[in-house]
């Protein structure tokens, strides 16, 4: 690690850290599917089908995406305002904000129906007789993955380059790599027509872990800053 950032990135208010942790929880609404949406195929059904407008409890899943998006943007803004600006770190927080924008897009442009559950929906999808929202959802979902990977990778690189955020330095790049491998795995699963649901759920789980890692990294810095202040006060 480089010593350029030996003075530290600074600390954010506890509320920013809490927002990152809550965002990780709200993004995991798919864990409720066994209770709320048992008909959807866990192994082969798209996660996005849970929030399709014709599905029961679709508002629960859409609300999870919406809340995660809003909170992620708030975290990105909070860190950009309060922490030391360095190129890699600034880029990482910016991509976290863009991840939030795309998550809001997922909530705002849901699927019309569930193709894996309803044959008529799959036929409409193949014949391109679906709404703009249904078609555009694939764009926002892809944006979530790309921006999520970019945020984790850039923040990990920043942590290693500047000597900040040990948790991100150690785990950020691993999570970004895992998310990239799973994203490529979805392409294979789509071609084979199997296991897409499992891979997508793993993708979302990795992003949730990424948000928790960010929250922990920010908390650890805040705790270290308070300890340093307490030691300085003791010497005065």
């Amino acid at each position: 690690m480089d010593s350029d950032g030996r003075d530290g990135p600074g600390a954010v208010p506890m509320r920013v850290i809490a927002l990152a942790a809550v965002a990780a929880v709200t993004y995991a609404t798919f864990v409720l599917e066994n209770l709320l949406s048992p008909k959807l195929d866990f192994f082969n059904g798209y996660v996005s089908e849970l929030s399709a407008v014709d599905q029961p409890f679709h508002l629960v899943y859409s609300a999870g995406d919406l809340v995660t998006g809003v909170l992620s943007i708030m975290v990105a803004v909070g860190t950009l305002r309060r922490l030391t600006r360095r190129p890699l770190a600034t880029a990482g927080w910016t991509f976290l904000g863009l991840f939030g924008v795309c998550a809001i897009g997922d909530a705002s442009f849901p699927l019309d129906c569930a193709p894996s559950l309803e044959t008529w929906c799959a036929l409409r999808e193949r014949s391109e007789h679906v709404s703009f929202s249904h078609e555009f959802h694939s764009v926002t979902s892809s944006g979530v993955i790309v921006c999520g990977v970019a945020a984790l990778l850039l923040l990990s690189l920043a942590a290693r380059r500047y000597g900040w955020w040990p948790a991100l330095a150690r785990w950020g790049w691993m999570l970004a790599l895992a998310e990239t491998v799973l994203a490529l795995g979805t392409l294979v699963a789509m071609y084979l027509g199997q296991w897409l649901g499992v891979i997508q759920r793993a993708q979302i789980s990795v992003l949730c872990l990424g948000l928790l890692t960010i929250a922990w990294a920010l908390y650890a810095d805040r705790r270290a800053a308070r300890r340093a202040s307490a030691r300085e006060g003791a010497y005065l």
Side-chain angles (χ1 to χ4, degrees), residues 184-230:
L184 295 175
T186 60
L187 300 178
V188 177
M190 290 174 67
Y191 177 77
L192 297 176
Q194 293 182 326
W195 303 104
L196 181 60
V198 174
I199 295 175
Q200 280 201 323
R201 285 157 178 79
Q203 278 185 290
I204 295 174
S205 298
V206 170
L207 290 175
C208 291
L209 287 174
L211 289 168
L212 287 175
T213 303
I214 288 171
W216 175 253
L218 293 174
Y219 173 73
D221 258 11
R222 178 179 172 81
R223 184 176 59 181
R226 293 184 67 178
R227 287 178 177 174
S229 297

Side-chain angles (χ1 to χ4, degrees), residues 113-130 134:
C113 48
S116 72
L117 190 61
E118 300 156 329
T119 303
W120 63 267
C121 180
L123 293 174
R124 282 183 57 184
E125 190 176 61
R126 291 173 187 173
S127 61
E128 298 183 354
H129 286 85
V130 290
H134 190 106

